Amino acid sequence: MNLIDKKVTHKIFGEGSIVNQNDSSIEVSFAAENKKFLYPDAFAKFLILHDRDGAKTVAQLIQVKEEETKELELQKEAERIRQEEKQKMLMEYEKLMNNHKLHSESQMVYWCDAEDESNVFEDWHVFTGTVKSGANKGKPSKAVRLHRNSAVLLTAREASWSEQERRILGVYMVKEDFIGKLSDDGYVPAHSTYKIQLTEEESEKLLFWHYYTYKNAPEKLSWNTGKYRYFDNAWMAQILKDIVALKEDELEKQHAQKFLNYFCKMNQITEHEIERPNGVLANL
């Protein structure tokens, strides 16, 4: 909108004429001197435009700018709140990381169905499922015991197999900064380095129930419900040690050994003190 030569009135300087204009400012010639003003802001506070049509257009411009300014302020406020929440989460995260106490059963054993088997070694994460009842019904289940010292053991059995034939498919450490208490999406992601997929031949030699036992029912051999359960730290160490022994390829053996070393360090386990497996099948 061209305002050159348009007449205006200022509350202090009196009447004047617009002599210069750009997208963000105007220059007005008054009797005593020329003055520059922000455009269109000055028309909301200091200047009155004599031209009615022009005044109407300027008022619309001011309204649009005020709405944009208000929207920007709302965005800034929302960002400020997000930053505060982020900082609060970081403080909570640091507190949990620094005050974490090892739980004797902070490992996860996961039951892979057919879909899981086809995706887990591409995505390298598992989904814990949803809460079945209570106030959190329908929300992702939180694996609250899992921390950076935790590993996830991947197991499966065919529908036609007996439970004692459940085999181990692979294993991974959780992502370095993962804390189960703070996870809201139900996914348990893998560490960038420590993850192992077993071959079919290797899986056949590593049966889950060779390591696992119900401490209050040592002869029980069943997994009826649930996608996952917690797993003893010492049992996971036994499995990792056996994976190292199972590997024939030198590079794969070295990787499995580094995995075991890392796991033992994170779980305060001395490798040479790892006991022999004592699961249900080991005692048959």
Side-chain angles (χ1 to χ4, degrees), residues 251-265:
L251 290 178
E252 291 184 3
K253 182 179 285 289
Q254 290 177 10
H255 176 67
Q257 183 63 55
K258 289 180 180 178
F259 191 138
L260 175 59
N261 294 344
Y262 178 79
F263 178 84
C264 289
K265 177 182 178 181

Side-chain angles (χ1 to χ4, degrees), residues 51-63:
D51 183 89
R52 290 187 178 180
D53 291 338
K56 184 177 180 180
T57 301
V58 168
Q60 292 173 345
L61 291 174
I62 291 172
Q63 183 179 358

Side-chain angles (χ1 to χ4, degrees), residues 22-268:
N22 59 38
D23 291 339
S24 60
S25 68
I26 59 172
E27 182 178 357
V28 180
S29 177
F30 296 101
E33 59 182 323
N34 286 13
K35 292 286 186 179
K36 283 189 176 181
F37 301 92
L38 291 177
Y39 173 75
D41 310 56
F43 289 101
K45 301 176 181 179
F46 312 117
L47 297 176
I48 298 173
L49 188 62
H50 294 189
D51 183 89
R52 290 187 178 180
D53 291 338
K56 184 177 180 180
T57 301
V58 168
Q60 292 173 345
L61 291 174
I62 291 172
Q63 183 179 358
V64 169
K65 189 166 185 179
E66 287 177 345
E67 291 174 353
E68 290 175 348
T69 300
K70 184 177 180 180
E71 178 63 26
L72 183 60
E73 289 174 351
L74 290 173
Q75 291 176 5
K76 287 181 178 179
E77 177 63 12
E79 179 61 23
R80 184 189 65 78
I81 293 173
R82 281 195 294 269
Q83 291 300 323
E84 286 184 354
E85 292 177 345
K86 182 179 180 181
Q87 186 63 30
K88 183 178 178 180
M89 288 183 63
L90 284 173
M91 291 175 66
E92 184 177 357
Y93 171 81
E94 291 296 332
K95 183 179 178 180
L96 287 172
M97 290 293 278
N98 294 331
N99 298 336
H100 178 64
K101 294 181 180 179
L102 288 175
H103 190 287
S104 61
E105 296 181 351
S106 57
Q107 315 304 315
M108 172 188 282
V109 54
Y110 188 84
W111 183 341
C112 295
D113 56 26
E115 182 178 353
D116 292 325
E117 284 193 63
S118 64
N119 296 326
V120 68
F121 296 112
E122 293 182 7
D123 301 332
W124 282 105
H125 64 225
V126 296
F127 180 63
T128 55
T130 56
V131 179
K132 302 301 181 184
S133 61
N136 293 320
K137 182 179 180 181
K139 294 181 179 179
S141 174
K142 289 188 177 185
V144 295
R145 289 190 197 171
L146 298 194
H147 207 270
R148 58 181 175 177
N149 67 295
S150 303
V152 177
L153 188 71
L154 304 167
T155 73
R157 71 171 176 84
E158 300 293 338
S160 59
W161 294 358
S162 65
E163 181 55 42
Q164 72 177 31
E165 294 177 280
R166 178 179 297 277
R167 54 196 173 92
I168 296 171
L169 306 179
V171 60
Y172 66 80
M173 294 297 298
V174 300
K175 193 175 179 182
E176 300 91 316
D177 60 354
F178 182 80
I179 296 178
K181 289 182 180 180
L182 300 182
S183 177
D184 293 323
D185 60 7
Y187 287 99
V188 183
H191 191 283
S192 57
T193 302
Y194 300 111
K195 45 193 176 183
I196 295 174
Q197 178 181 4
L198 300 177
T199 66
E200 187 172 346
E201 292 76 14
E202 291 169 339
S203 291
E204 291 174 354
K205 297 176 183 178
L206 285 178
L207 297 180
F208 168 67
W209 291 94
H210 185 68
Y211 305 90
Y212 189 91
T213 183
Y214 292 99
K215 294 180 180 179
N216 296 326
E219 296 182 359
K220 182 180 178 181
L221 201 158
S222 64
W223 184 336
N224 298 324
T225 60
K227 289 290 289 182
Y228 73 93
R229 56 187 59 184
Y230 294 113
F231 195 56
D232 195 291
N233 301 351
W235 297 346
M236 188 68 80
Q238 293 168 356
I239 292 171
L240 292 172
K241 186 175 181 179
D242 284 353
I243 289 176
V244 173
L246 189 63
K247 291 293 185 180
E248 296 181 355
D249 179 87
E250 188 60 31
L251 290 178
E252 291 184 3
K253 182 179 285 289
Q254 290 177 10
H255 176 67
Q257 183 63 55
K258 289 180 180 178
F259 191 138
L260 175 59
N261 294 344
Y262 178 79
F263 178 84
C264 289
K265 177 182 178 181
M266 298 299 291
N267 287 276
Q268 301 175 13

